[in-house]
Amino acid sequence: MASHRKSRPAGTRVAGIRTPTLATAALTSVALLSQSANAAPEADDKPSLEEVEKKVDDLYRQAESATDKYNSAKEKTTKQRKRVDTLLDDVAQRTQKLNEAREELGSFAAAQYRTGAAAPDTATFLLADTPQDYFDQTQLMDRMTGRQKVAVDDYVTQQSETMKKRQEATESLETLTETQGDLKTAKATVQRKLADARDLLSKLTAEEKARLAAIEREKRQEAARKAAELARQQAAQEQAQEQAAQQQDSGSSSTGSGSSTSTAPADSSYATKAEKALAFARAQIGKPYVWGAVGPGSYDCSGLTQAAWKAAGVTLPRTTYDQVNAGTTVSLADAQPGDLVFFYDDISHVGIYIGNGMMIHAPKPGAYVREESIYYDGQSAIHSVVRPA
């Protein structure tokens, strides 16, 4: 006789409780999700390629900013060292003169000793803590001969000036020590940022490096597009200016004036200098970027612009922070070949404009002097344009 009991649903028991199949599946899903959650942090620990690129670019930019601080500290250290050397030489010369003045006074004291003369008491003068202390307590000057008075005056003057120069030299040495400390700090910062960037890049796979190169190409193409657009705008502006000049010349001729006002000589003067600066900059293309370098074998960004304009007879300061103030600020639309284009809010990079939205610059560590769009890092990265002469 067949059993009429209903069969139990398939399932399992957990701690004595029957678990339906659906509940089992749910527990399995929870377990899998838990495993995925545990594994997720490991996957998230690795930044995306775009994040790596941004981090590397930021590190290079920080290194370049630190490089300018290094350059500034190095320049100050060089100047301060020269000042210290000059002061020490001056102290040595004044000390020699002081010794000569002391010897002359000593000769008077010796003569007094030999003759037994009681006045003027030059020996007592020499033994006083300071000449002024002695003068305050005696009437020595009234008892001295003319020659002795001249010798004492000379001694007092030499002693005062020597003490003053020694104090200046001491203070300058302290300042030199401080600037040397700043120099070491800036150098260490540059080296640390570069090492961090190299470490990040070394962890990329071959596929990731290829992708990073593709991203860089896309950025260059976008920069080229913007440069071409700027070139078209500048060409249109120049054409409009030329047409306006022709109309002005035509009007002057019809009135029989026979002359016209022009600013060409000033523009021509700048163009001549800029041409020399650009010729020098082009000759440096292919040379490596090296932080703190001013040529001739390698350059950093401000070292290149400084050397280029020096070739044109114009002296620029060493760092981007100072170069941005060494000229007249102009709008990007009015930029002319030879102008300096500065980048980022901290003014940590500079290139020399060559026209059509392009520049020559020493880009960053690991790169070489090259022609590149001024939009290589986006238009927002452009800080200002300065005409240095």
Side-chain angles (χ1 to χ4, degrees), residues 232-290:
R232 284 193 294 270
Q233 292 176 1
Q234 288 182 328
Q237 183 179 12
E238 291 172 1
Q239 184 178 9
Q241 291 174 345
E242 184 178 353
Q243 290 175 349
Q246 289 175 352
Q247 291 175 357
Q248 183 178 3
D249 290 342
S250 177
S252 300
S253 299
S254 63
T255 57
S257 63
S259 64
S260 62
T261 303
S262 174
T263 59
D267 293 341
S268 176
S269 173
Y270 178 75
T272 299
K273 293 177 182 178
E275 185 178 352
K276 292 179 180 178
L278 288 173
F280 179 92
R282 286 192 178 94
Q284 313 314 308
I285 290 177
K287 294 183 178 180
Y289 176 105
V290 174

Side-chain angles (χ1 to χ4, degrees), residues 7-8 12 39 46 116 156 161 188 200 223 234 250 271 275 288 325 371:
S7 61
R8 294 179 179 178
T12 59
K46 186 175 182 179
V156 172
E161 291 181 352
L200 275 175
Q234 288 182 328
S250 177
E275 185 178 352
N325 297 315
E371 290 187 11

Side-chain angles (χ1 to χ4, degrees), residues 22-343:
L22 185 60
T24 303
L27 285 174
T28 303
S29 299
V30 170
L32 290 174
L33 288 173
S34 177
Q35 292 175 1
S36 300
N38 291 334
E42 296 180 5
D44 291 341
D45 282 345
K46 186 175 182 179
S48 68
L49 197 56
E50 287 75 10
E51 290 173 336
V52 171
E53 181 201 26
K54 185 178 184 305
K55 181 64 175 177
V56 169
D57 285 346
D58 286 344
L59 285 168
Y60 278 146
R61 194 173 303 129
Q62 291 170 26
E64 193 166 33
S65 179
T67 295
D68 258 0
K69 292 178 181 178
Y70 168 84
N71 291 338
S72 179
K74 184 177 181 181
E75 192 174 38
K76 290 178 181 178
T77 298
T78 300
K79 290 179 179 178
Q80 196 63 33
R81 185 176 288 112
K82 288 180 179 178
R83 174 171 171 75
V84 168
D85 290 343
T86 299
L87 285 171
L88 290 177
D89 288 343
D90 196 3
V91 167
Q93 293 174 3
R94 292 184 182 280
T95 300
Q96 178 62 30
K97 292 180 179 179
L98 181 64
N99 291 336
E100 292 172 357
R102 184 182 289 111
E103 288 174 3
E104 185 171 5
L105 288 176
S107 67
F108 291 144
Q112 292 169 10
Y113 179 79
R114 288 194 301 271
T115 60
D121 193 356
T122 312
T124 305
F125 167 77
L126 288 173
L127 292 174
D129 291 336
T130 67
Q132 192 60 48
D133 290 342
Y134 185 84
F135 293 152
D136 291 342
Q137 300 172 24
T138 70
Q139 300 298 321
L140 177 62
M141 290 300 290
D142 293 338
R143 295 154 51 202
M144 284 185 172
T145 65
R147 183 182 173 191
Q148 290 172 325
K149 289 179 180 180
V150 170
V152 169
D153 285 340
D154 185 46
Y155 177 79
V156 172
T157 300
Q158 295 298 337
Q159 186 186 54
S160 175
E161 291 181 352
T162 300
M163 291 176 65
K164 180 180 178 181
K165 289 299 179 181
R166 282 176 179 168
Q167 181 62 29
E168 289 181 15
T170 300
E171 293 173 355
S172 292
L173 280 170
E174 292 174 353
T175 303
L176 176 60
T177 301
E178 292 177 2
T179 54
Q180 286 176 328
D182 294 339
L183 186 65
K184 291 180 180 179
T185 299
K187 183 176 181 180
T189 301
V190 174
Q191 292 174 332
R192 185 174 65 254
K193 298 298 182 184
L194 294 181
D196 290 344
R198 286 193 294 268
D199 183 57
L200 275 175
L201 291 173
S202 68
K203 294 177 181 178
L204 296 178
T205 65
E207 183 180 349
E208 287 173 331
K209 290 179 180 178
R211 174 58 184 149
L212 197 61
I215 293 174
E216 183 67 21
R217 283 195 300 273
E218 291 173 4
K219 292 174 65 175
R220 284 201 300 267
Q221 290 170 356
E222 176 64 14
R225 186 190 66 76
K226 290 182 178 180
E229 178 61 27
L230 178 61
R232 284 193 294 270
Q233 292 176 1
Q234 288 182 328
Q237 183 179 12
E238 291 172 1
Q239 184 178 9
Q241 291 174 345
E242 184 178 353
Q243 290 175 349
Q246 289 175 352
Q247 291 175 357
Q248 183 178 3
D249 290 342
S250 177
S252 300
S253 299
S254 63
T255 57
S257 63
S259 64
S260 62
T261 303
S262 174
T263 59
D267 293 341
S268 176
S269 173
Y270 178 75
T272 299
K273 293 177 182 178
E275 185 178 352
K276 292 179 180 178
L278 288 173
F280 179 92
R282 286 192 178 94
Q284 313 314 308
I285 290 177
K287 294 183 178 180
Y289 176 105
V290 174
W291 63 269
V294 294
S298 57
Y299 297 89
D300 63 18
C301 65
S302 56
L304 176 64
T305 51
Q306 183 189 48
W309 271 103
K310 182 179 180 181
V314 177
T315 300
L316 293 181
R318 176 63 185 90
T319 68
T320 55
Y321 311 128
D322 294 326
Q323 287 183 9
V324 74
N325 297 315
T328 303
T329 301
V330 299
S331 67
L332 182 59
D334 293 330
Q336 295 181 14
D339 291 350
L340 302 180
V341 185
F342 294 89
F343 297 86

